[in-house]
Amino acid sequence: MPHPYFLGCPQWQHPDWNRVLPPGQSPLACYSQVCNSVEGNTTFYATPSPSQCERWRSQVPDSFRFLFKLPRQITHDRMLAGVDQPLRAFLTLLDPLQDVLGPLLLQLPPAFGPEHLNNLWYFIDTLPSPLTCAVEVRHPAFFDKGSAERELNRGLRERALARVCFDTRALFAAPATDEATRDAQRKKPRLPLHLLPADAPPVIRYIGHPDLEANRPFLQPWVDRVAEWITRDKYPYIFMHMPDSGDALALARLWNELLGQRVPTADFPDLRQEEPQIGLF
């Protein structure tokens, strides 16, 4: 039975996870036993080799999904203009992972504004089938409910694409009393939540409060929303971030518990693996 939603973190390995994940032949193999998806942030900064992609494919089950970020060169440096060649090269590298690819994460910089929308539509419309993407915008004009946001949303609906929802409310509700939180608050955008109803599987990126228990009231509305999506067979993607990445699995564990209480009969990713001496899971 496939899981009714995809749950993951922004990476598949961290030193703090070594003793709390089940054993496996590699960090990815260990991670994929408890999470069934991952944000492929590594591809934003550097492209993998074909042999790396082949190894990654061999380490995950068929039900696993990678959501890779498009390279910075494509999204930030060139603003999606004139990127046919680097895009083809990138997709060729990912070919060994075709059957476990979720939508590509098209994360656009704050400078990508309404004047660049034609670049976005051309890029999406020429993306080779069956590949698709989920679009994350950060320009303020796409959050003011004006003509630019309406045009963006209309174009995404017409193409049945998800608008990534990047929820940083819990992060910015935290006092910046440690360096990890201060760094996250400097780097992450503080933008309104605008969720676009669409036919595509929703993609939620949640950045947590450093105090794990303080996330409960911020997570609860998402629990209700995701439970509804599950009943409608939407298969959403949920990614859990923390200011200290080592805490991301603990946040995923809390999320899974909350959602399991709301939809107790669902077949969720198994986050109950544990080593008794650690007790995290």
Side-chain angles (χ1 to χ4, degrees):
M1 290 286 292
H3 298 305
Y5 81 106
F6 295 96
L7 176 64
C9 297
Q11 60 201 62
W12 61 69
Q13 61 180 323
H14 190 279
D16 291 352
W17 301 352
N18 291 341
R19 294 188 300 165
V20 300
L21 287 175
Q25 295 183 341
S26 70
L28 177 56
C30 299
Y31 170 91
S32 66
Q33 294 180 62
V34 297
C35 289
N36 60 356
S37 188
V38 69
E39 284 187 24
N41 288 329
T42 181
T43 52
F44 180 75
Y45 302 101
T47 52
S49 67
S51 60
Q52 280 180 306
C53 290
E54 290 171 2
R55 287 195 298 272
W56 291 344
R57 179 60 188 93
S58 70
Q59 294 166 10
V60 299
D62 294 347
S63 58
F64 192 86
R65 292 294 178 269
F66 293 92
L67 272 70
F68 286 110
K69 284 186 182 177
L70 284 154
R72 180 187 182 92
Q73 175 193 17
I74 292 174
T75 56
H76 287 53
D77 297 345
R78 299 195 184 183
M79 297 287 205
L80 303 184
V83 297
D84 291 358
Q85 190 281 326
L87 176 63
R88 285 196 301 270
F90 177 64
L91 297 180
T92 298
L93 291 174
L94 296 185
D95 191 64
L97 296 160
Q98 283 288 338
D99 65 321
V100 287
L101 286 181
L104 297 170
L105 285 176
L106 183 52
Q107 185 184 95
L108 298 170
F112 192 101
E115 69 275 17
H116 299 104
L117 279 178
N118 284 338
N119 294 356
L120 175 61
W121 305 139
Y122 176 83
F123 180 90
I124 291 170
D125 293 342
T126 57
L127 197 64
S129 179
L131 292 172
T132 186
C133 61
V135 179
E136 181 180 318
V137 292
R138 296 191 175 184
H139 192 286
F142 296 130
F143 294 86
D144 66 5
K145 301 184 179 180
S147 59
E149 183 170 11
R150 290 193 294 271
E151 182 180 357
L152 170 70
N153 289 347
R154 181 170 59 250
L156 294 177
R157 284 197 188 96
E158 289 171 351
R159 294 163 175 82
L161 297 179
R163 175 175 174 172
V164 176
C165 189
F166 196 30
D167 187 354
T168 59
R169 293 173 298 170
L171 169 65
F172 286 104
T177 56
D178 61 273
E179 183 52 36
T181 302
R182 286 192 292 271
D183 186 56
Q185 290 180 352
R186 281 194 301 266
K187 294 178 178 178
K188 304 302 183 185
R190 191 172 191 174
L191 293 166
L193 281 179
H194 286 197
L195 186 63
L196 175 67
D199 293 333
V203 179
I204 308 301
R205 301 178 66 223
Y206 175 89
I207 316 298
H209 193 291
D211 177 354
L212 184 64
E213 289 300 311
N215 287 284
R216 289 180 180 270
F218 294 98
L219 290 174
Q220 191 57 54
W222 285 121
V223 167
D224 298 335
R225 177 80 66 165
V226 171
E228 177 193 358
W229 285 333
I230 288 173
T231 63
R232 294 163 54 199
D233 295 328
K234 285 285 190 179
Y235 293 95
Y237 292 90
I238 313 297
F239 295 107
M240 292 291 160
H241 298 236
M242 286 288 267
D244 183 338
S245 296
D247 297 330
L249 274 181
L251 181 62
R253 172 74 166 87
L254 173 63
W255 161 264
N256 213 49
E257 285 183 357
L258 295 173
L259 187 59
Q261 294 166 8
R262 181 68 170 75
V263 192
T265 60
D267 179 21
F268 294 107
D270 185 5
L271 289 173
R272 295 170 295 175
Q273 301 282 352
E274 69 177 61
E275 289 190 3
Q277 69 271 29
I278 300 301
L280 175 60
F281 291 96

